[in-house]
Amino acid sequence: MAEVRAAKESEALTNIRLYDYFPREQLHASLSMADVHLISLRREMTGIVVPSKLYGAMASGRPTLFVGPEHCETADSIRHADCGITIRLGDSEGLVETLNKLAADPDLRDAMGRNGRAAFLATFERSACCAQWSGVIGEMIPAPRRQQASVLRQVGAPVASGAV
């Protein structure tokens, strides 16, 4: 943070606002303050780390700008949901061009934000994730076997005709 503050001051950047830490209970308020969320990932972290910032940005209905490997879970998720733009590592010209494009087109930002929110609710929100996990676990656990009629007779339960 010290480096970011120093760069902001040395470059006299007035279009950047820096805020102190937000408690988790207020995180939703801070995430919705941004026009665009920046996410980055070093190439060597591909397959090891998935920046969780993506899910907060999607939940807040804000578009994302991802700078990182072209083929990783974060870039693929952004493209699949059409909720932001991905930039290859080292493509500084592409980054500047994309920032200018996003700054000039609030409708595009809004559309990507809506797409991200919809994708978050459909795929990453708690109930959707729990349903997915339930399905996976359900596939791994065999269904209970029906009790044999003879077992039912042994415990004195009536057996309906045709029961197995």
Side-chain angles (χ1 to χ4, degrees):
M1 182 60 98
E3 289 179 46
V4 173
R5 286 186 198 280
K8 179 183 184 242
E9 290 173 18
S10 71
E11 298 292 325
L13 300 172
T14 59
N15 61 345
I16 295 176
R17 288 181 254 156
L18 301 174
Y19 295 95
D20 291 328
Y21 173 80
F22 270 77
R24 185 174 189 86
E25 302 79 43
Q26 298 174 2
L27 189 59
H28 66 281
S30 69
L31 292 175
S32 61
M33 292 169 60
D35 294 320
V36 176
H37 286 257
L38 175 65
I39 303 171
S40 62
L41 182 68
R42 294 188 317 236
R43 186 172 312 285
E44 61 269 17
M45 300 308 288
T46 302
I48 300 171
V49 173
V50 176
S52 61
K53 295 175 190 179
L54 173 62
Y55 309 110
M58 292 173 78
S60 72
R62 297 298 190 257
T64 56
L65 175 55
F66 175 68
V67 179
E70 293 177 72
H71 300 290
C72 65
E73 185 171 337
T74 303
D76 293 343
S77 294
I78 291 168
R79 280 190 296 271
H80 180 71
D82 193 20
C83 66
I85 298 174
T86 62
I87 304 292
R88 283 186 332 275
L89 287 167
D91 184 5
S92 56
E93 289 178 19
L95 177 60
V96 170
E97 181 182 313
T98 300
L99 287 170
N100 286 328
K101 176 181 178 176
L102 291 170
D105 195 342
D107 291 337
L108 175 62
R109 291 192 315 265
D110 290 345
M112 288 189 299
R114 283 190 306 274
N115 292 344
R117 177 74 179 156
F120 175 81
L121 291 174
T123 310
F124 302 114
E125 194 268 334
R126 182 182 301 173
S127 62
C129 288
C130 287
Q132 290 174 29
W133 275 111
S134 177
V136 168
I137 292 168
E139 289 174 6
M140 294 172 24
I141 299 173
R145 288 186 267 162
R146 301 176 115 191
Q147 294 182 343
Q148 299 292 326
S150 62
V151 173
L152 291 173
R153 283 190 196 105
Q154 289 174 0
V155 294
V159 178
S161 67
V164 180

